[in-house]
Structures are given as C-alpha cells and as structure tokens.
Amino acid sequence: MRESSPATTSGERPTVSVLVSSYNYAQYVVDAVRSALAQDEPPQQVIVVDDGSTDESMEVLRHAFGSEATVTLLTQSNSGQLSAWVSAFRYAAGDVVAFLDSDDLWEPRYLSRIRDIYMARKDVDFVYCNMRRFGQQDNMMLPAGPDRDLGYSMLMGAFVQRWQSSATSAISLRRELLARVFELPVELASEWKSRPDDCLSYGSEILGARKYYIGEPLVLHREHGKNALSEYGRSPVAYYHYMVRSERMLDHYRRLAGVDYGWTRLAKAEFRTKQKPTLFEFRAYSWLLWRSPLPLRKRIEHWFSIVKHYLWSFR
C-alpha cells in the first residue's frame, strides 16, 4: 500500500485520482473515461484497470488514450472489481479518490462539486451524489432532495447497515480513508468480485468517516440488464451468498475499528452529529441506545436528548 500523501493545506484545491475498473465493456469504457477527462476541473490522473477482458477492451483503450499523459492503462488476470481497484490505488496520488464504473458517465461539473465540499469541509471524508439512470430506465436513483451532511455513522454501519451511498460511480473518498478501507485480507477481498461499493460504504462508516450527500444527479448510471444488482434480484442463492460475504466483511471492519456492542453507549453523541436526522435514523439510534450497557437512568436521559435533537432539526 502506498504511503498517504500529506493533507491538503488551507487554500489548495484537492487533487483527484479517478479509478476505473472494466471487464468486457469495450462498447462503453472509452465514453466513461472521456467523461472523466471532460470535467470542468479535470482530474490529476485517470487509472484504468482492465480485469482480464476477453473482448477488445484494451485495444480500444490503447487506441483512444495510449498517448494521453493523464491516463494510466493497466491490465490484470480476471480477479474481480475490488482487486482491480486495489491494483489501481497503488498508482493513485490524488488527495481524493473518485470511482467510475466503465459503463457510467459523469456530468461535466461532478468533480468540481465534490472538490468544493472537500475544500470547504476538512472534516468530511466521503462524498457521494445522486444519480440518474439511463438506457433501459430513465429516472433518479435516489429520491430528490437537498444536499445533506450525514454526520458520523460508525454505529449505523456496524450494527444497522442502512445504505448511505450511491452506486460506485458517484462515490469519492479521501485517500487516507480509502487506504484503511482497502486493508482487507486477501481471502476476504477475493470474495468481492462484484458490488465492492458495499466495502466502501460500510467500511468507511465503521472506520469513522463523516459523509456528505449531494442531492443533484451529477452521475449517469447506465441500465443495460447486466448490472450487478440484477443478478441478486433474480437468484435467491446469489443473494444468500452475498449476505454471507457481507457479514464477513462487516466483522472484519468491526474488528479493525475495535467496535463492539459496548459502543452503543455513544448513540446519543453520534446522532447529534447529524444536522437533519431522518425518522429512520431517530428510530435506529433509539434502538441502539436501548441495547446499550448504560444504566436505565442514563438511557432515559440520553433518549430525551435524542428526541430533543430530532425535534430541533425541524426548526
């Protein structure tokens, strides 16, 4: 694992490295990379890893970007998406790492918007945005709404697992955080050939990331019937195996962070980091608090503080 770069000093725009993994998407990958290079604020580097494609992916990539200094083209035997990300991350030098699936597209303002957040909010470690589906569907991936500071979610990630992210192409992390997320044992990492954005989302929360959500759909998610989520919807067996490897992944990050159920005593403190908590979050943190080892008197006192913060957020 490469050493982390120094933190961005005050006044500097954070640099961005883009990681693109691709497998047999020759018809899409060039457009995806071009959408990264066409940003209003272009990235420092785009690192493309071809994960053992059997189509003409590498040929079209070399033809399109072989002389492009900003683009690094790598290839490896087919090992899965997480492995491809880890391979690309060894070359990443940016303060922020943004992910882009090889069948998706970025709107031109995407990187400038996430840079604005990372620049203004030194305490934010993970930024994601809404997405618009295109192709076989044409709709928003997440409900329309304003930008939102999600605060910290260590307890949520460890014990509730509410999804607080978009799909891969709308996710970005500070480089130092991503280095910790990628501290997965080889045998565990090899299980995440698809849907490794679960590791990014839940792992970052358990490791203490502060998340920020941009409500504007700045990323286009291509729907073509071969998306990873389609497989799990069709096959109960595939879904079961996905849930088993998810539990192993969560156990790993809980051990890495040293988090156990005794930490539920922090429910009030974590809830109060959320500026506009939802009803789901109010109920989840109430549940976490009542499972905590705090004395009954303290649990009651903390719960009233949770209620007060929730009601105050409507002002």
Side-chain angles (χ1 to χ4, degrees):
M1 202 69 70
R2 291 168 62 96
E3 293 293 322
S4 296
S5 60
T8 307
T9 58
S10 178
E12 294 180 344
R13 295 285 281 176
T15 55
V16 178
S17 295
V18 180
L19 307 190
V20 182
S21 64
S22 185
Y23 177 68
N24 285 346
Y25 275 172
Q27 70 269 45
Y28 303 136
V29 64
V30 169
D31 287 341
V33 175
R34 282 178 175 155
S35 77
L37 296 175
Q39 293 293 294
D40 292 347
E41 291 188 30
Q44 177 181 354
Q45 55 185 168
V46 179
I47 306 163
V48 186
V49 178
D50 181 82
D51 188 38
S53 293
T54 56
D55 63 6
E56 65 275 16
S57 292
M58 281 307 296
E59 287 81 358
V60 299
L61 283 166
R62 290 190 184 106
H63 177 74
F65 307 112
S67 60
E68 176 63 59
T70 307
V71 179
T72 299
L73 301 177
L74 306 172
T75 185
Q76 64 178 31
S77 59
N78 183 241
S79 304
Q81 194 173 21
L82 182 58
S83 172
W85 288 350
V86 172
S87 297
F89 184 63
R90 297 190 184 104
Y91 295 84
D95 303 308
V96 170
V97 176
F99 292 85
L100 175 59
D101 277 344
S102 55
D103 53 343
D104 291 341
L105 302 170
W106 283 346
E107 297 284 7
R109 296 191 303 112
Y110 172 64
L111 288 186
S112 63
R113 285 285 281 117
I114 68 168
R115 275 177 163 145
D116 288 343
I117 303 301
Y118 286 114
M119 178 73 180
R121 295 290 303 274
K122 305 299 184 183
D123 57 336
V124 167
D125 310 289
F126 186 114
V127 178
Y128 70 98
C129 75
N130 205 346
M131 307 177 81
R132 177 170 290 282
R133 296 183 178 96
F134 74 106
Q136 294 184 352
Q137 298 185 52
D138 182 10
N139 52 36
M140 301 272 275
M141 180 169 286
L142 300 172
D147 294 1
R148 184 164 166 246
D149 179 355
L150 299 175
Y152 294 95
S153 302
M154 179 183 290
L155 299 180
M156 289 275 285
F159 305 119
V160 180
Q161 287 93 57
R162 183 199 184 189
W163 182 250
Q164 293 189 116
S165 186
S166 287
T168 299
S169 298
I171 294 174
S172 65
L173 296 81
R174 290 196 189 270
R175 190 167 174 274
E176 295 84 355
L177 171 64
L178 185 57
R180 296 192 67 208
V181 171
F182 278 167
E183 290 178 16
L184 285 165
V186 174
E187 64 275 12
L188 182 56
S190 67
E191 296 182 348
W192 289 92
K193 295 184 182 299
S194 64
R195 288 195 63 172
D197 45 355
D198 285 19
C199 301
L200 302 181
S201 181
Y202 296 130
S204 64
E205 288 178 355
I206 297 170
L207 294 172
R210 184 167 196 149
K211 286 186 170 182
Y212 193 96
Y213 169 61
I214 300 172
E216 186 179 0
L218 297 168
V219 175
L220 303 178
H221 185 269
R222 191 187 302 269
E223 296 284 336
H224 48 71
K226 296 182 181 179
N227 306 87
L229 286 174
S230 301
E231 172 191 356
Y232 301 103
R234 290 191 298 263
S235 169
V237 173
Y239 180 73
Y240 170 74
H241 287 301
Y242 159 70
M243 293 301 294
V244 169
R245 62 186 165 104
S246 294
E247 287 302 317
R248 282 197 284 264
M249 175 265 291
L250 292 167
D251 281 345
H252 165 75
Y253 286 123
R254 284 190 287 252
R255 288 194 300 270
L256 186 61
V259 177
D260 59 29
Y261 260 106
W263 285 58
T264 54
R265 63 170 57 93
L266 301 179
K268 179 193 79 170
E270 184 167 293
F271 183 75
R272 288 171 61 84
T273 70
K274 300 178 183 299
Q275 295 179 354
K276 294 288 184 181
T278 64
L279 177 60
F280 178 92
E281 289 167 335
F282 169 73
R283 295 173 63 184
Y285 280 94
S286 297
W287 177 81
L288 287 166
L289 176 63
W290 289 107
R291 291 179 62 90
S292 79
L294 289 170
L296 178 59
R297 179 180 61 82
K298 280 291 185 183
R299 277 181 281 164
I300 293 172
E301 176 186 316
H302 284 205
W303 186 74
F304 275 110
S305 180
I306 285 175
V307 171
K308 180 180 178 181
H309 180 67
Y310 178 63
L311 295 177
W312 188 264
S313 69
F314 288 100
R315 293 174 61 102

